[in-house]
């Protein structure tokens, strides 16, 4: 079963996309820009504030799909200036300190709106009792996870 989740952004109808799409236990969240509730750029000039806004929008989309931020397994943070990655990382860390999804920081040349400094994407998997799973450190020369069933 497929569920398309909309944020109501005008970009969705213009470009023909959904904020998020859930099929079964998988959910993908599209590139999420720092758009304020009134449609303007949130936190102009502030990568940290813009990243927080992107993550708030993602959180709302996940809630609409019946998920939470603990279901996120991967994020991608796209920045117009890679030198500002620490500001984006701070906002990311504040939200994901416990579950620590896989994360990639990438520099891009620009976004649709010149005032956007960051966009965030997220991928999720819903597992039974996922909130009960604790992060497991990996050894330098060996893995603590031998198979998917170890999770």
């Amino acid at each position: 079963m497929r569920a398309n989740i909309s944020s109501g952004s005008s970009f969705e109808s213009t470009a023909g996309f959904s904020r998020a799409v859930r099929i079964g236990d998988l959910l993908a969240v599209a590139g999420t820009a720092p758009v304020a509730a009134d449609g303007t750029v949130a936190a102009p000039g502030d990568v940290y504030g813009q990243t927080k806004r992107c993550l708030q929008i993602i959180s709302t989309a996940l809630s609409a799909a019946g998920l939470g931020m603990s279901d996120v397994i991967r994020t991608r943070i796209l920045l117009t200036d890679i030198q500002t990655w620490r500001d984006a990382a701070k906002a990311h860390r504040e939200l994901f300190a416990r579950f620590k999804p896989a994360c990639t920081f990438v520099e891009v040349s620009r976004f649709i709106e010149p005032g956007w400094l960051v966009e965030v994407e997220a991928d999720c998997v819903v597992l039974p009792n996922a909130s009960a799973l604790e992060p497991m450190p990996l050894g330098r020369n060996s893995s603590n996870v031998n198979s998917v069933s170890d999770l």
Side-chain angles (χ1 to χ4, degrees), residues 59 62-63 66-72 124:
S59 179
L62 295 182
S63 293
L67 283 74
M69 295 303 265
S70 64
D71 296 308
V72 175
C124 306

Side-chain angles (χ1 to χ4, degrees), residues 85-138:
W85 75 270
R86 284 183 177 82
D87 296 327
K90 179 182 176 189
H92 189 274
R93 181 181 63 245
E94 289 173 359
L95 192 59
F96 291 113
R98 180 165 181 221
F99 291 99
K100 298 181 181 173
C103 181
T104 302
F105 291 84
V106 178
E107 184 177 60
V108 299
S109 62
R110 62 183 175 215
F111 295 114
I112 293 169
E113 166 61 49
W116 299 346
L117 305 175
V118 62
E119 280 195 23
V120 180
E121 298 178 348
D123 298 321
C124 306
V125 174
V126 183
L127 296 173
N129 303 316
S131 62
L133 294 175
E134 289 296 322
M136 296 186 295
L138 296 178

Side-chain angles (χ1 to χ4, degrees), residues 17-19 28-33 54 58 76 78 116 119-122:
F17 77 96
S18 297
R19 170 64 35 227
V29 181
T32 303
C54 294
I58 289 170
R76 286 169 212 81
L78 302 109
W116 299 346
E119 280 195 23
V120 180
E121 298 178 348

Side-chain angles (χ1 to χ4, degrees), residues 31-37 39-44 46-47 49-55 57 111 113 115-120:
T32 303
V35 179
T40 62
V41 175
D46 177 9
V47 170
Q50 287 193 7
T51 305
K52 284 188 68 121
R53 177 62 182 150
C54 294
L55 294 170
I57 295 167
F111 295 114
E113 166 61 49
W116 299 346
L117 305 175
V118 62
E119 280 195 23
V120 180

